[in-house]
Amino acid sequence: MKKLWGGRFDDNTDALMEQLGESVSFDARLAPWDIRASIAHAHMLGARGIITKSDARKIIMGLEAIGRDSAAGRIAWDAALEDIHTNIEAELVRRVGDAGKRLHTARSRNDQIATDVRLWMRDQIDAIVARLRAVQTALLDCAEAHQDIILPGYTHLQPAQPVLLAHHLLAYFEMLQRDAERFSQARRRVNVMPLGAAALAGSPHPIDRAMVAKELGFEGISANSMDAVSDRDHLIEFCANAAIAMMHLSRFCEELVLWSSPAFGFIEISDAFATGSSIMPQKKNPDAAELIRGKTARVYGDLVALCALMKALPLTYNRDLQEDKEQVFDASDTLQLCLDVMAHMIPVIRFDGKAMTRALREGFMEATDLADYLAARGVPFREAHETVGQLVRHCIASNKRLPDCTLEELRGFSPAFDRDALAVMTPEAIVRRRDIPGGTAPRRVRAALRRARATLHAARRKKA
Ligand code: ARG
């Protein structure tokens, strides 16, 4: 098999070299974007008279046909031809003859692959942001449907203070909101066209880069040809954004695992997203949540692999760069699958409000509010903290809860306690008092729910 670059070679490539060097087994998925970029390039070559209009027309029709056939799975790519670019070019020459041999004028595979990946990534970012919105919608629907449920909020996984379930769920809504913003901001840096950089120094042909950029929907063209073919910081940024989003999903999944354990009993995961045990008949395991937590690790791996790949590469293109693709593909596929699972799993979670209410009875979560009560009555907060600490010790020793104490008992610890001290301690009263922006008071959470809904509406309108 004659290589595209075979002119100066006498001997054949070793089979092992072919095995090491081929990328078509994983970059074939770039075919639709590679073809789009080639069509735009051919339009420009024809328009600028670099090739004849008739050759340009033949190339474009050939590429369109290859696009259709490849989408229908009618083309078998050949690993001996190395990558998707050479495969498509060889197929084009087979179909349209000599005209096909003129397509590669004024470009290199170096600016070609850089362009393909940016086009691909732009589409993936749009898909990821849409999927993030779907998970946000699922969280918000749940939060709206369970506005009355109060559950323990934890620090150190120890009961800390009661919070609204809706407030807890909205915390994840906020995280995913920042994830969507991060991807959208990165999109602007991705959407810059490298084509025209050619191998590394630019092209001597009178090309019109702006024309190609316009046809491909790029917002700008790269300012430096050497940077354009050799940097991959946008891939690293993409994987970093994916890693952060996965971290957020993983934290929520960790909570689902905890909450679905009988030790908590706060939720039941739907059968559709759980599995059983081959030996223990009673088991129902939250596998989807565990797998998402596990897959987070591999996306971190993708990010670290890319950072390591880049750190010692001199300018400009080095073949090492071929190893960038499987990492971004994996990060993108993994994140999109996990987002889809979350969007489908969350709406069918059964929340057990009674179990959450029961859990409020443990852990002395009224203590902070009792201390605040004393502080509001002029006791220095440090002193109030100490007093309530002793009261908690007394409760532990006498095996009772803070609200079980009588007024006389309370007054034994501080004369500042009054009749209304007992009313301070209900979970409803405790959350109601957190009535500041960002707090868990029901009216603040209702406002947050409205804002979240408006955010999603605005995002949908912007897309339309
Ligand atoms: N398959 C190559 C890659 O993924 C395309 C660029 C090849 N360029 C080269 N000079 N061999 O990076």
Side-chain angles (χ1 to χ4, degrees), residues 18 20 24 51 83 105 122 150 159 167 185 207 230 244 292 304 331 341 409 422 446:
E18 284 188 344
L20 179 69
V24 71
I51 63 175
D83 55 28
T105 316
R122 204 174 65 184
I150 301 175
H167 195 55
Q185 287 159 0
I207 57 175
S230 71
I244 294 171
I292 290 171
V304 172
V341 171
E409 252 173 317
L422 294 167
R446 275 195 299 276

Side-chain angles (χ1 to χ4, degrees), residues 184-396:
S184 302
Q185 287 159 0
R187 191 188 193 280
R188 286 189 285 125
R189 285 181 288 279
V190 169
N191 204 16
V192 174
M193 189 188 75
L195 208 62
L200 75 161
S203 170
H205 295 279
I207 57 175
D208 183 347
R209 298 187 66 202
M211 175 185 170
V212 181
K214 184 150 182 263
E215 176 168 343
L216 293 174
F218 281 112
E219 285 165 68
I221 58 176
S222 56
N224 181 296
S225 60
M226 298 177 79
D227 175 43
V229 293
S230 71
D231 204 3
R232 296 292 184 265
D233 56 357
H234 53 296
L235 276 73
I236 294 180
E237 204 177 338
F238 180 89
C239 284
N241 292 345
I244 294 171
M246 287 298 298
M247 177 272 290
H248 288 149
L249 298 187
S250 184
R251 292 190 69 185
F252 188 51
C253 284
E254 169 68 11
E255 301 208 298
L256 297 181
V257 170
L258 290 170
W259 288 0
S260 65
S261 158
F264 282 79
F266 290 177
I267 59 168
E268 187 176 347
I269 302 272
S270 150
D271 286 2
F273 292 97
T275 66
S277 158
S278 57
I279 173 169
M280 298 168 282
Q282 85 282 12
K283 293 272 276 177
K284 177 168 171 186
N285 299 325
D287 289 38
E290 294 168 81
L291 282 163
I292 290 171
R293 197 175 57 187
K295 283 183 187 291
T296 302
R298 62 187 278 165
V299 175
Y300 290 0
D302 295 329
L303 171 62
V304 172
L306 279 183
C307 291
L309 180 70
M310 295 306 296
K311 72 178 275 292
L313 290 187
L315 289 180
T316 54
Y317 181 84
N318 300 273
R319 192 63 184 276
D320 315 44
L321 291 176
Q322 184 163 292
E323 289 294 309
D324 64 356
K325 271 159 235 50
E326 283 164 294
Q327 321 300 333
V328 266
F329 292 164
D330 183 69
S332 178
D333 293 346
T334 304
L335 175 59
Q336 294 191 51
L337 172 62
C338 291
L339 287 170
D340 280 348
V341 171
M342 293 302 278
H344 286 84
M345 177 168 64
I346 293 170
V348 288
I349 293 174
R350 203 181 58 75
F351 290 88
D352 189 338
K354 290 217 175 63
M356 294 183 188
T357 304
R358 265 198 308 280
L360 293 172
R361 300 173 60 82
E362 266 176 275
F364 306 101
M365 282 184 287
E366 307 84 358
T368 316
D369 286 67
L370 275 189
D372 285 333
Y373 172 92
L374 292 177
R377 256 142 233 271
V379 181
F381 184 79
R382 265 298 137 247
E383 231 168 77
H385 186 288
E386 170 72 21
T387 301
V388 178
Q390 282 164 8
L391 183 57
V392 168
R393 262 174 57 187
H394 160 78
C395 285
I396 294 171

Side-chain angles (χ1 to χ4, degrees), residues 51-189:
I51 63 175
T52 64
K53 287 241 157 52
S54 127
D55 278 348
R57 222 174 357 247
K58 281 183 206 149
I59 289 172
I60 290 159
M61 282 172 60
L63 286 170
E64 282 169 354
I66 293 172
R68 283 191 298 273
D69 289 345
S70 119
R74 284 194 290 265
I75 303 183
W77 307 117
D78 182 358
L81 289 171
E82 272 185 38
D83 55 28
I84 187 60
H85 321 300
T86 43
N87 264 279
I88 289 174
E89 199 178 316
E91 183 67 21
L92 181 68
V93 172
R94 200 158 34 244
R95 292 183 185 209
V96 308
D98 277 351
K101 295 183 182 166
R102 299 186 191 277
L103 169 62
H104 211 54
T105 316
R107 77 170 185 190
S108 152
R109 278 187 292 162
N110 298 351
D111 58 346
Q112 194 179 351
I113 184 64
T115 303
D116 291 3
V117 170
R118 282 175 186 268
L119 286 173
W120 168 84
M121 188 171 282
R122 204 174 65 184
D123 286 352
Q124 304 318 304
I125 288 175
D126 293 343
I128 287 167
V129 170
R131 288 179 155 91
L132 282 164
R133 297 298 180 209
V135 180
Q136 284 185 297
T137 303
L139 285 167
L140 181 55
D141 289 347
C142 259
E144 283 175 349
H146 300 290
Q147 292 189 41
D148 297 330
I149 299 183
I150 301 175
L151 83 166
Y154 298 85
T155 63
H156 314 267
L157 202 55
Q158 305 291 323
Q161 291 169 356
V163 291
L164 289 191
L165 174 61
H167 195 55
H168 192 125
L169 295 173
L170 282 180
Y172 287 98
F173 182 97
E174 293 293 328
M175 297 177 221
L176 299 187
Q177 179 61 25
R178 290 192 295 278
D179 290 333
E181 281 168 21
R182 255 187 292 275
F183 273 107
S184 302
Q185 287 159 0
R187 191 188 193 280
R188 286 189 285 125
R189 285 181 288 279

